[in-house]
Amino acid sequence: MYRLKLIFLVQGIFFCLIQENSLTQSLYNLDSLELQLKSQTDDTLKIKTLLLLTKGYIQNDPVKSLTYCNELHDLSDKLHYLPGLIDALSEKSRIYNAFGNYDSAQIMCETAIHLSDSIGDSKRLAESYSNYGVTLYRTGEIPQALEYFIKSNKLYEIIEDSLGIANSLNGIGVMLMSQAEYDLAIYYYLKLIKISEKKGYLNMLGKGYINIGIAYDELDEDDKAAYFFLESIKINTKLNNLIYLGNAYNNLGNIMYKYKKYDSAWIFYNKALELSIKTNYQLGLPIAYIGLGNIFQIRNKYDKAYDYYQLAKNSYASLGDKEGFVIAYKNQGFIHEKWGNYDISIQIYDSCLLIANEYGLSERTVEIYYNLYNSYRLKQDFEKAFEYLLNHTVLKDSIINLEKAEIIANLQLKYEKEKDQALILSLENENLEKDLSLRKRTNQRNTYLFSGSGFVVVILFLFIFYRHKTRKDKIIAEQKIQQLEEEKKLLAAKSIVEGQEEERKRIAKELHDGLGVLLSTAKMQFTTIKDKSPENRPLIDKATKLLEQAAGDVRKISHNMMPGLLTKFGLYEATEDLIEQLDETEGLNANCEITGDTKRLPENTEIMLYRIFQEIVNNTLKHAEAENIRLQMNILPEQLNITYSDDGKGFNVEEKIESKSIGLTSIESRVNFLSGQIYVESKPGEGVKYVIEIPI
């Protein structure tokens, strides 16, 4: 999966370094700028307009962007306006990168760096360093690219440009991930996230979350990876950034597939595929195709798997991605192997082997050798099978040895650095000892002079120290007492809530089994009397109807206090039943969607969550006047994510919190009881949305 995820990083950094700094069509009306351009004279104002048009068209129409950029370059050159000329060179480097013309992009970057340095323009110099880093990355010169991103970062820090700092941190992270230094990459991504959260750079956060999620995924810290992918989905949904949403869904699909949660993986891959098709994002398509093909293969639906692998192969071919092409084609060979078409599978593996050897894809070569061994073994050509098994073993061992040698070399380098540091420290200590000896002789002359005053100072210090310590101990003791009291209150509150639920269950049972039975018996008695006392028949019919109504009310109260479905079948069945009942209400459309492993939760947790749903639904029915209700539950390995929304009247969240609304306070207290978190989004006239996260 590494290669598939790295493709997104390549595209991710390109968009990070361009979109955040550029003013796109969403910010400027390009049509009005073009009209404005026609009436402008050749001056710096026209240069600024040309720059905005260049940036505005760089993503959707690079050819048009290059036309305006050439005009920007010519006008800046004519007016001898160096800042405009540097901007033109920077934009050209980005456009050439988009076209794959890396030699020209490199020339533009080097010229922009030289001019920026000559006029002492630190901001443009930092930006040129970043652009050069992107170009070097595109050409595979990763260490050099890392150097330029670090240079860019230092300059941005000097001029205190926080957005520039965030961009350069993202570049550093991508370079480190390209060298498999995931721990160090995470360090820089966390810095990126910190500054982006502080400054509100949502677009940068949406991408940073994806990159750090991929880094954690590579370190097999899947819970952290899934968390950051989900965080990126929240932000990119708000921003309507569909490309990065598709990226996050593809990566979540990989994690679910890894843990054999194929239903969840299927959902995520399909979402990624839908978004990639919608945005025409070619890099996202083959990853989703491969993922869906793998799920069909696991489920022995080989025809479907083969079709998806074919789609992936076609996508990789159009992208010129040889390794992706080999992966998809090799998977098709495996399908033929499953069908018993060993000659065809061997033919496909041989073709894959030629491509892998030509482009130095050693890891894929190891896999193909094993696949050839397996096909020849199944064909009962044991001589050939042994030959390819031997090739597989030898190449695999050589790769392992190379990895070991690289690890040893890294350790040796670290050892040499530590030796150098130890030598420097030894020399510093030697100089320090000489200095101390000189000072000692000088200080001896002053010792007797200051000994008396020193004694007084020590006594005073001890007095202040013990006084401060006494105060500190007192404060710590008070804090411990306060903490114990809080814990005691929390335990008491928990006991009260649990007791309330137990009492609800007891009352519900007594109402249903006691009073409900008595009312039903009384109704039967009245029915018997009716036949024996015709003259009192109207009164008996009226009494019977009242008994029926009372019995119905008792059943309804008993069900509301403790639904039978909740105790028998659990939270998910009870919740679906609750929403289905709402859906049957005239004028109301209610929908419930539950994904993930629907195993039973602890009883108290299920009851508390059901009470939360009841309270939210009651609020909607009483106040919202909504026509549509939607409840989604996504069950992850260690967390339950709940989203509830309606299209009702909505409300001002801050006013509700300040007024201590009983309904909202009740919901929050129950969520806090479950150690969860709740986010409420609502405005008057725009409905309401609750997002609840509960650890399970």
Side-chain angles (χ1 to χ4, degrees):
M1 290 295 182
Y2 169 72
R3 171 63 178 169
L4 300 181
K5 287 179 273 194
L6 190 58
I7 291 171
F8 275 109
L9 282 172
V10 173
Q11 193 71 6
I13 182 174
F14 184 65
F15 282 133
C16 264
L17 294 172
I18 291 176
Q19 286 183 339
E20 291 287 355
N21 269 335
S22 64
L23 303 170
T24 57
Q25 287 178 343
S26 61
L27 299 178
Y28 292 93
N29 187 325
L30 298 178
D31 292 335
S32 66
L33 283 173
E34 287 176 328
L35 287 172
Q36 185 179 329
L37 182 69
K38 292 177 181 178
S39 61
Q40 287 178 326
T41 58
D42 289 348
D43 54 17
T44 54
L45 186 60
K46 186 174 183 179
I47 286 174
K48 290 179 181 178
T49 304
L50 287 167
L51 179 61
L52 293 176
L53 287 166
T54 300
K55 289 176 178 286
Y57 281 112
I58 195 168
Q59 292 176 54
N60 298 329
D61 193 345
V63 175
K64 196 169 186 178
S65 177
L66 182 59
T67 302
Y68 282 119
C69 193
N70 286 329
E71 193 175 342
L72 168 65
H73 183 281
D74 293 342
L75 181 57
S76 299
D77 190 31
K78 175 184 174 183
L79 299 176
H80 304 292
Y81 183 61
L82 283 181
L85 193 59
I86 294 167
D87 290 336
L89 292 167
S90 294
E91 296 307 316
K92 276 189 180 182
S93 72
R94 291 170 178 163
I95 297 167
Y96 287 143
N97 271 326
F99 287 147
N101 189 352
Y102 304 127
D103 291 337
S104 297
Q106 190 165 340
I107 294 169
M108 297 298 110
C109 289
E110 289 170 351
T111 309
I113 289 170
H114 173 71
L115 290 175
S116 300
D117 194 27
S118 69
I119 63 172
D121 191 330
S122 298
K123 185 176 177 65
R124 285 183 169 85
L125 181 58
E127 187 177 355
S128 299
Y129 282 150
S130 286
N131 291 338
Y132 202 23
V134 173
T135 305
L136 290 169
Y137 176 71
R138 296 282 193 174
T139 56
E141 299 176 64
I142 308 300
Q144 295 89 333
L146 178 58
E147 288 178 15
Y148 276 95
F149 281 119
I150 292 172
K151 283 183 179 181
S152 173
N153 180 254
K154 288 179 179 177
L155 265 181
Y156 279 128
E157 286 182 345
I158 290 170
I159 62 176
E160 298 181 348
D161 184 335
S162 55
L163 182 56
I165 292 169
N167 272 324
S168 57
L169 287 171
N170 185 72
I172 292 170
V174 174
M175 296 309 105
L176 291 169
M177 286 191 62
S178 300
Q179 299 176 92
E181 296 195 40
Y182 304 114
D183 289 325
L184 197 53
I186 287 169
Y187 167 76
Y188 284 100
Y189 284 135
L190 288 173
K191 289 179 70 175
L192 160 68
I193 288 169
K194 184 178 179 181
I195 194 170
S196 297
E197 287 177 340
K198 183 178 178 181
K199 298 292 184 179
Y201 300 146
L202 295 183
N203 204 25
M204 181 64 70
L205 268 178
K207 297 156 192 170
Y209 282 146
I210 290 176
N211 285 350
I212 197 172
I214 293 172
Y216 276 120
D217 193 13
E218 290 294 344
L219 293 173
D220 291 327
E221 295 190 42
D222 300 306
D223 290 342
K224 289 182 180 178
Y227 168 79
F228 282 108
F229 290 141
L230 289 169
E231 288 298 305
S232 77
I233 286 172
K234 290 179 186 176
I235 289 177
N236 287 314
T237 300
K238 287 181 181 178
L239 298 174
N240 198 33
N241 198 335
L242 304 184
I243 288 176
Y244 287 94
L245 274 175
N247 186 346
Y249 282 127
N250 261 327
N251 281 296
L252 281 171
N254 290 342
I255 292 174
M256 293 298 108
Y257 183 85
K258 181 178 179 180
Y259 282 98
K260 299 182 180 180
K261 295 188 176 182
Y262 301 123
D263 290 337
S264 298
W266 174 263
I267 292 169
F268 289 134
Y269 283 135
N270 270 301
K271 284 184 176 180
L273 181 59
E274 179 185 343
L275 289 168
S276 297
I277 292 171
K278 186 175 182 179
T279 57
N280 195 30
Y281 185 58
Q282 298 301 313
L283 292 174
L285 290 172
I287 299 174
Y289 288 145
I290 289 282
L292 293 168
N294 288 342
I295 293 172
F296 275 122
Q297 180 188 306
I298 288 291
R299 291 172 172 170
N300 298 327
K301 296 181 179 180
Y302 299 124
D303 290 338
K304 286 280 189 183
Y306 192 89
D307 291 341
Y308 275 105
Y309 291 147
Q310 182 63 39
L311 290 169
K313 190 174 75 171
N314 293 342
S315 292
Y316 282 128
S318 65
L319 290 169
D321 188 330
K322 301 300 180 183
E323 186 169 4
F325 182 88
V326 167
I327 292 169
Y329 200 19
K330 177 170 63 67
N331 288 352
Q332 285 188 315
F334 181 77
I335 298 298
H336 277 291
E337 189 178 289
K338 286 292 184 181
W339 284 333
N341 302 332
Y342 304 126
D343 289 333
I344 298 176
S345 68
I346 288 168
Q347 184 181 350
I348 290 173
Y349 292 148
D350 282 336
S351 299
C352 291
L353 190 60
L354 286 172
I355 299 170
N357 287 332
E358 182 181 352
Y359 290 94
L361 307 175
S362 55
E363 291 184 10
R364 302 305 169 201
T365 302
V366 170
E367 296 169 1
I368 296 164
Y369 278 149
Y370 189 83
N371 288 352
L372 282 165
Y373 148 73
N374 208 42
S375 285
Y376 277 116
R377 179 182 62 82
L378 293 170
K379 193 183 176 183
Q380 297 188 346
D381 187 342
F382 299 113
E383 184 179 350
K384 278 283 188 183
F386 178 75
E387 177 188 337
Y388 281 108
L389 181 60
L390 185 62
N391 289 341
H392 166 78
T393 305
V394 170
L395 184 55
K396 186 177 180 182
D397 288 344
S398 69
I399 291 173
I400 291 171
N401 289 334
L402 282 172
E403 290 174 351
K404 285 180 179 178
E406 187 178 349
I407 292 168
I408 291 168
N410 289 334
L411 289 173
Q412 181 68 25
L413 182 61
K414 288 180 181 178
Y415 171 70
E416 294 295 336
K417 284 182 179 179
E418 287 173 2
K419 271 200 341 183
D420 291 341
Q421 289 171 356
L423 180 59
I424 292 167
L425 186 60
S426 174
L427 291 171
E428 287 177 351
N429 286 336
E430 186 178 337
N431 291 332
L432 184 61
E433 285 176 5
K434 290 178 181 178
D435 185 48
L436 285 173
S437 177
L438 180 62
R439 289 187 181 186
K440 184 177 180 182
R441 289 195 298 271
T442 305
N443 289 337
Q444 280 176 346
R445 292 194 298 267
N446 301 322
T447 301
Y448 297 108
L449 179 63
F450 295 106
S451 59
S453 57
F455 179 74
V456 173
V457 170
V458 169
I459 295 298
L460 183 62
F461 172 77
L462 288 173
F463 172 75
I464 295 170
F465 172 76
Y466 282 113
R467 187 177 180 185
H468 176 73
K469 186 175 183 298
T470 303
R471 286 182 181 177
K472 185 178 177 182
D473 291 342
K474 184 179 178 182
I475 292 169
I476 290 171
E478 289 174 353
Q479 288 176 343
K480 285 183 178 179
I481 291 168
Q482 187 178 357
Q483 184 181 355
L484 288 171
E485 287 177 351
E486 292 295 329
E487 289 176 356
K488 186 177 178 182
K489 287 179 184 178
L490 184 62
L491 185 62
K494 187 175 180 181
S495 300
I496 289 169
V497 172
E498 290 177 350
Q500 286 176 343
E501 293 301 335
E502 287 297 324
E503 186 65 12
R504 280 173 178 262
K505 286 170 67 177
R506 186 187 67 77
I507 293 171
K509 190 172 186 304
E510 289 186 3
L511 282 172
H512 186 273
D513 297 344
L515 185 57
V517 172
L518 286 173
L519 289 171
S520 298
T521 305
K523 178 188 168 187
M524 291 172 61
Q525 295 292 339
F526 270 100
T527 303
T528 305
I529 294 170
K530 181 170 67 175
D531 296 333
K532 294 181 180 180
S533 181
E535 66 279 4
N536 294 320
R537 189 173 190 131
L539 290 172
I540 293 170
D541 286 341
K542 187 175 181 180
T544 303
K545 288 180 180 178
L546 289 171
L547 284 170
E548 286 177 354
Q549 184 179 346
D553 289 344
V554 166
R555 282 195 300 272
K556 189 182 294 183
I557 293 167
S558 172
H559 179 78
N560 284 337
M561 294 188 76
M562 188 55 61
L565 274 175
L566 182 62
T567 54
K568 290 180 182 177
F569 299 107
L571 171 68
Y572 306 115
E573 291 283 347
T575 303
E576 286 179 338
D577 181 66
L578 175 66
I579 300 302
E580 284 175 7
Q581 289 181 30
L582 290 174
D583 193 45
E584 293 172 1
T585 305
E586 187 176 351
L588 184 62
N589 178 31
N591 178 261
C592 180
E593 181 182 341
I594 300 174
T595 59
D597 186 3
T598 55
K599 66 181 180 182
R600 291 292 298 266
L601 301 174
E603 184 180 18
N604 284 338
T605 302
E606 290 193 333
I607 292 171
M608 200 62 61
L609 284 168
Y610 190 79
R611 297 295 178 217
I612 291 170
F613 297 153
Q614 281 184 317
E615 187 67 44
I616 294 174
V617 167
N618 285 337
N619 287 346
T620 297
L621 295 177
K622 287 180 182 178
H623 310 295
E625 300 179 8
E627 296 181 358
N628 295 284
I629 292 174
R630 188 176 187 189
L631 176 63
Q632 294 174 285
M633 280 195 276
N634 185 17
I635 309 159
L636 298 175
E638 295 184 2
Q639 183 172 292
L640 179 63
N641 291 339
I642 302 159
T643 304
Y644 175 93
S645 60
D646 68 44
D647 59 353
K649 294 192 299 186
F651 53 85
N652 188 305
V653 178
E654 291 182 1
E655 288 181 2
K656 286 287 184 183
I657 293 172
E658 289 175 3
S659 66
K660 297 184 179 180
S661 165
I662 295 174
L664 193 56
T665 303
S666 172
I667 294 166
E668 286 181 339
S669 63
R670 292 180 186 276
V671 171
N672 291 335
F673 178 82
L674 295 172
S675 302
Q677 290 183 311
I678 181 170
Y679 309 93
V680 185
E681 298 177 9
S682 182
K683 290 182 181 177
E686 296 185 11
V688 65
K689 181 178 180 181
Y690 296 85
V691 178
I692 302 171
E693 297 173 352
I694 303 294
I696 55 175

